[in-house]
Amino acid sequence: MHDFMRAIVIYRCAEPAMSQNFVSPDQIRAWFSRAMSDMYKSEVPLYDTLLDLVAQVNAQTLAARPELAAQLARTGEIERLDIERHGAIRVGTAEELANMRRVFAVMGMRPVGYYDLSPAGVPVHSTAFRATHEAALQASPFRVFTSLLRLELIDDAALREKAARILAARRIFTARALELAARFESQGGLGDADAREFVAEVLHTFRWHGEATVSLDDYRELHGQHRLIADVVAFKGPHINHLTPRTLDIDAAQAEMPRRGVSAKAVIEGPPPRNCPILLRQTSFKALEEAVSFIGADGQAAVGSHTARFGEIEQRGVALTRKGRALYDHLLNLARGRSSGAPHEGNAAAYRQTLQECFAAFPDNYAELHAQGLAYFRYSLTGKTGAPAGADSRTLIEQGYIRYEPLVYEDFLPVSAAGIFQSNLGDKTRAEYAQNASQAAFEQALGAPVLDEMTLYQDTQDRSLAACLQALGAQTGAVAA
């Protein structure tokens, strides 16, 4: 049995008992991801251009690197590559965030990780809603990076109170969407008709609305405090501000963007190019300026504009362990220190060179990453027979009975997220906020703790190794871990 198919069988067996009439949360998530993508294509035509660009780059990369194609086929990633997306939204209140958690739970998505973007001058903290089991990720690797506005970081008390009043008056979900979420909670699932209606109802929350809920003067006041504050407060809901496809070669995609009439940001966020990609690299085009109607004092709409929605491309590498992540953070801080801060158009070339030099200290082959415990891996059987009884996992790997391959990073990087936000909010943004992370406050607003991503990667790695040892044990007798 193919290894990821074995994982799916185990995952399905471990799921809570569910009526045969209920649709799997994985299926609801897949439907919603497709519907979101189709909607965004119609709203932002350049997104369709990015999809075509990424598909071309991926096809060329797979043709040029058959070893990569074979690796992705063994791990099951090849099947999910064309459908992989992440989106990003921003909400304004604890109630909105808590209801977002309830809605994403219907799709089998849970809050993973805590990200504080305030040190980079972005007044939000965030989590990523996603599936958590490798088999569920295989079914639909859809993620939504979800940020909560930190009103307490608005230093103008009158403006802070005004923003709170505006947000308190809106409802970002339809009554029917919340009714169906409650039905899911009480029944343990949704039938086919309810699940399809749920997707359609929730999609309304993420649509673009060209009509603001504030006057042009109020918008300008919010915008003057921070562009992101205006984006969150001044509209009916958290319009999706980007959807991101996954490329296998982000440098090739970055080079192709201008040839497709797309103006890319100056610097790819994340680590430098490597033989063995790590974590996450991201690039984007700048946010679109879009016409908006604001509330007029005389009852007539006042015409203005707003910039919020943009296009992004990502390349995902291997997930790093705590030890690997500590090394990554150290080298990234070293590079930024030598470059006198965050990269920008003026220092892009010098920053790329500095980043490459600093990351020369990070091992760039999977054997070394595995040996030093710097990254997480997925284990599978090679098909070799005759494993010695009682052999431990290291011996079985060394003798060719078990192989290991990189476990893809499913999450985000706060520095990179802030860099993407800043590049699309313009240059005149605040350098930093005085307050630090407040995970406890975020979790209180969320109504649940966020999951630790490192634990999830460790669990996936452990499950894959246990499955190999069990299979070999069935052939040879007891096999020590």
Side-chain angles (χ1 to χ4, degrees):
M1 183 185 292
H2 195 294
D3 291 298
F4 77 78
M5 288 303 297
R6 186 191 309 276
I8 290 174
V9 170
I10 294 171
Y11 167 67
R12 295 300 181 211
C13 292
E15 284 185 313
M18 183 174 286
S19 165
Q20 294 298 315
N21 295 324
F22 289 159
V23 178
S24 163
D26 294 344
Q27 181 61 70
I28 300 174
R29 184 171 67 257
W31 285 342
F32 184 77
S33 176
R34 170 60 66 184
M36 181 85 86
S37 186
D38 289 344
M39 181 187 76
Y40 204 60
K41 279 182 188 178
S42 66
E43 292 185 346
V44 183
L46 275 179
Y47 167 66
D48 206 13
T49 301
L50 287 188
L51 294 184
D52 288 341
L53 185 159
V54 167
Q56 174 188 315
V57 168
N58 287 350
Q60 292 171 343
T61 303
L62 291 170
R65 298 183 59 191
E67 78 289 350
L68 176 62
Q71 172 194 303
L72 296 178
R74 287 192 298 269
T75 61
E77 287 179 65
I78 197 75
E79 287 85 359
R80 68 183 240 185
L81 186 60
D82 290 341
I83 63 170
E84 188 156 355
R85 302 284 186 274
H86 95 247
I89 57 171
R90 304 153 186 166
V91 298
T93 69
E95 181 182 5
E96 290 177 356
L97 182 65
N99 279 330
M100 196 66 70
R101 173 183 55 80
R102 297 175 61 213
V103 163
F104 282 136
V106 179
M107 306 181 208
M109 301 165 71
R110 300 180 66 188
V112 179
Y114 171 77
Y115 305 87
D116 176 33
L117 275 62
S118 61
V122 183
V124 301
H125 46 185
S126 317
T127 191
F129 287 97
R130 67 170 178 89
T132 58
H133 191 285
E134 58 272 18
L137 288 161
Q138 172 66 22
S140 175
F142 180 59
R143 318 167 185 86
V144 180
F145 190 81
T146 303
S147 300
L148 173 65
L149 179 63
R150 300 183 69 175
L151 286 174
E152 75 274 14
L153 297 183
I154 299 178
D155 49 20
D156 182 325
L159 183 62
R160 185 167 62 246
E161 291 172 6
K162 178 185 290 187
R165 286 196 305 272
I166 294 168
L167 290 170
R170 75 178 186 179
R171 296 294 179 266
I172 67 172
F173 291 105
T174 67
R176 182 59 175 163
L178 294 180
E179 180 183 330
L180 289 167
R183 182 174 298 177
F184 173 88
E185 292 163 352
S186 63
Q187 295 181 163
L190 293 178
D192 185 84
D194 282 347
R196 293 180 185 276
E197 184 183 6
F198 174 82
V199 168
E201 288 292 323
V202 174
L203 201 62
H204 290 306
T205 299
F206 302 100
R207 292 187 186 281
W208 170 251
H209 297 284
E211 305 83 26
T213 58
V214 301
S215 69
L216 186 55
D217 286 344
D218 283 345
Y219 172 82
R220 287 171 174 163
E221 189 177 8
L222 294 164
H223 190 280
Q225 177 76 198
H226 198 290
R227 290 190 182 194
L228 186 141
I229 295 173
D231 183 60
V232 176
V233 175
F235 294 89
K236 295 179 181 179
H239 39 258
I240 193 82
N241 59 66
H242 66 269
L243 276 181
T244 304
R246 177 182 170 188
T247 183
L248 298 174
D249 188 341
I250 199 167
D251 297 286
Q254 175 95 338
E256 180 65 19
M257 286 170 74
R259 292 193 281 270
R260 299 288 190 103
V262 180
S263 178
K265 70 188 298 294
V267 179
I268 295 173
E269 298 289 341
R274 293 167 45 87
N275 295 322
C276 300
I278 57 174
L279 297 176
L280 178 67
R281 303 181 71 208
Q282 297 172 289
T283 189
S284 69
F285 64 75
K286 290 187 176 181
L288 307 174
E289 184 173 356
E290 302 179 86
V292 173
S293 296
F294 294 92
I295 297 174
D298 56 359
Q300 300 295 315
V303 178
S305 64
H306 178 66
T307 55
R309 300 188 300 164
F310 57 94
E312 185 180 87
I313 298 173
E314 67 184 17
Q315 180 177 359
R316 291 186 174 270
V318 65
L320 300 184
T321 62
R322 296 186 195 279
K323 178 181 177 182
R325 184 57 184 270
L327 178 58
Y328 169 83
D329 289 341
H330 168 71
L331 296 177
L332 182 64
N333 290 335
L334 184 64
R336 292 197 163 210
R338 291 180 181 178
S339 301
S340 300
H344 50 80
E345 290 188 12
N347 71 352
Y351 177 78
R352 283 193 294 268
Q353 179 64 32
T354 300
L355 192 67
Q356 197 79 49
E357 292 170 356
C358 290
F359 270 83
F362 205 112
D364 197 13
N365 65 80
Y366 291 126
E368 197 63 29
L369 292 173
H370 184 268
Q372 293 190 32
L374 295 172
Y376 291 105
F377 292 86
R378 185 194 307 271
Y379 297 95
S380 62
L381 299 178
T382 64
K384 181 179 178 180
T385 59
D392 62 19
S393 57
R394 178 177 296 180
T395 300
L396 293 168
I397 292 170
E398 291 174 349
Q399 294 185 2
Y401 297 97
I402 296 176
R403 70 165 64 91
Y404 56 86
E405 286 165 311
L407 187 60
V408 67
Y409 185 63
E410 305 285 355
D411 296 289
F412 298 91
L413 301 171
V415 172
S416 295
I420 291 288
F421 277 21
Q422 292 286 29
S423 68
N424 290 290
L425 293 170
D427 296 329
K428 296 179 181 180
T429 49
R430 187 166 180 161
E432 63 179 315
Y433 286 88
Q435 295 193 30
N436 295 318
S438 183
Q439 183 170 340
F442 183 86
E443 291 179 332
Q444 182 177 12
L446 182 68
V450 299
L451 301 181
D452 175 56
E453 62 271 27
M454 298 293 188
T455 301
L456 297 176
Y457 294 123
Q458 187 68 55
D459 288 347
T460 295
Q461 179 174 278
D462 291 347
R463 277 193 292 267
S464 68
L465 183 57
C468 291
L469 296 177
Q470 183 180 22
L472 291 173
Q475 299 172 19
T476 66
V479 179

